[in-house]
Amino acid sequence: MRLLIMGPQGVGKGTQAALLAEHYQIPAISTGDIFRYNLKNQTDLGKKVQAFIDKGELVPDQLTNSIIKDRLAMEDAQQGWILDGYPRNAAQVEALDQMLAELETPLDKVLALQADRQVLMDRMTKRAEIEGRSDDTPDVIARRLDVYAKETKPLLDIYKDRGLLLEINGVGQIDQISKTVISQLDHLDHTV
Ligand code: ADP
């Protein structure tokens, strides 16, 4: 199973990615988590990406693409994966297309989780209190949502045109949402 999980900040991508990873026994790969790990450990990569993340801007494509390329080559990614937070702009879609063509492993589905802006803002405000992420300040949250609307949301149409998009309501019980996703993906398995 090779999946993308897309949707705005606060919609629950990370939570659903973890549940799907468990169900399908594949890794959930989050570019945001990889960057945060490197920030925390002050690695060379961490130092390079800090300023972008603190401002809510996208990290340069070259860096992000090469991280994904390396990660997809790892042993535990050979049976499938879920990408959370990548691709995030048109250039990254192109880079991913090229990587997957070289690996001869096409995408199975793109999940798009949806929720109203007010729900997203409420969830992120709550998360900011709990997790204390440095990019969860009101200004940076607003910037991240703007970047999402401008750069990332239009990508959904690309995947829709390819017949890969599965749109799911991100509001409701966490395990109910996950059940809905899995039943739709299993249905897909039986029909192809
Ligand atoms: P969120 O979706 O809540 O903004 P993420 O953990 O997905 O959180 O990403 C945090 C930050 O990491 C982003 O604001 C951006 O700076 C950087 N980042 C994550 N994924 C990408 C990506 N695919 N391309 C560029 N930058 C990224």
Side-chain angles (χ1 to χ4, degrees):
M1 185 65 84
R2 285 177 297 272
L3 299 174
L4 306 183
I5 187 158
M6 300 185 74
Q9 285 77 7
V11 81
K13 294 187 297 290
T15 305
Q16 292 301 326
L19 292 171
L20 291 167
E22 171 77 32
H23 181 82
Y24 292 109
Q25 290 291 298
I26 51 178
I29 299 170
S30 154
T31 41
D33 284 350
I34 294 171
F35 290 139
R36 272 185 293 281
Y37 174 87
N38 282 277
L39 284 178
K40 196 171 139 221
N41 293 291
Q42 281 292 299
T43 63
D44 284 350
L45 174 66
K47 287 176 194 156
K48 280 187 201 154
V49 303
Q50 177 113 46
F52 298 100
I53 291 183
D54 286 351
K55 282 189 279 200
E57 303 295 338
L58 295 184
V59 167
D61 292 333
Q62 225 185 334
L63 274 179
T64 311
N65 292 335
S66 77
I67 284 167
I68 289 293
K69 189 168 187 179
D70 292 348
R71 186 65 188 83
L72 295 185
M74 287 167 82
E75 179 68 31
D76 69 334
Q78 302 315 303
Q79 301 312 314
W81 33 256
I82 302 167
L83 296 185
D84 163 10
Y86 181 92
R88 243 165 152 106
N89 62 22
Q92 293 181 10
V93 169
E94 215 173 287
L96 179 63
D97 283 345
Q98 204 177 328
M99 286 177 225
L100 298 185
E102 277 169 23
L103 294 168
E104 297 181 35
T105 54
L107 275 177
D108 290 305
K109 212 72 187 167
V110 177
L111 300 183
L113 293 173
Q114 301 164 318
D116 291 344
R117 192 174 170 108
Q118 193 53 52
V119 172
L120 303 175
M121 293 303 286
D122 290 351
R123 285 186 187 170
M124 271 197 287
T125 309
K126 213 189 264 175
R127 182 174 80 182
E129 288 165 14
I130 299 167
E131 293 182 12
R133 259 172 65 169
S134 62
D135 60 350
D136 269 348
T137 60
D139 284 2
V140 179
I141 288 173
R143 180 65 193 142
R144 281 155 53 212
L145 286 169
D146 285 349
V147 171
Y148 175 80
K150 188 162 169 269
E151 305 264 343
T152 312
K153 196 160 184 276
L155 309 180
L156 297 179
D157 283 337
I158 298 178
Y159 291 116
K160 194 175 203 166
D161 289 346
R162 296 185 191 177
L164 291 175
L165 197 67
L166 178 60
E167 291 175 290
I168 299 278
N169 184 359
V171 185
Q173 297 274 341
I174 288 173
D175 52 350
Q176 198 52 53
I177 296 169
S178 157
K179 272 188 196 147
T180 305
V181 171
I182 289 166
S183 79
Q184 301 238 17
L185 290 173
D186 286 348
H187 177 69
L188 165 92
D189 254 5
H190 297 308
T191 50
V192 292

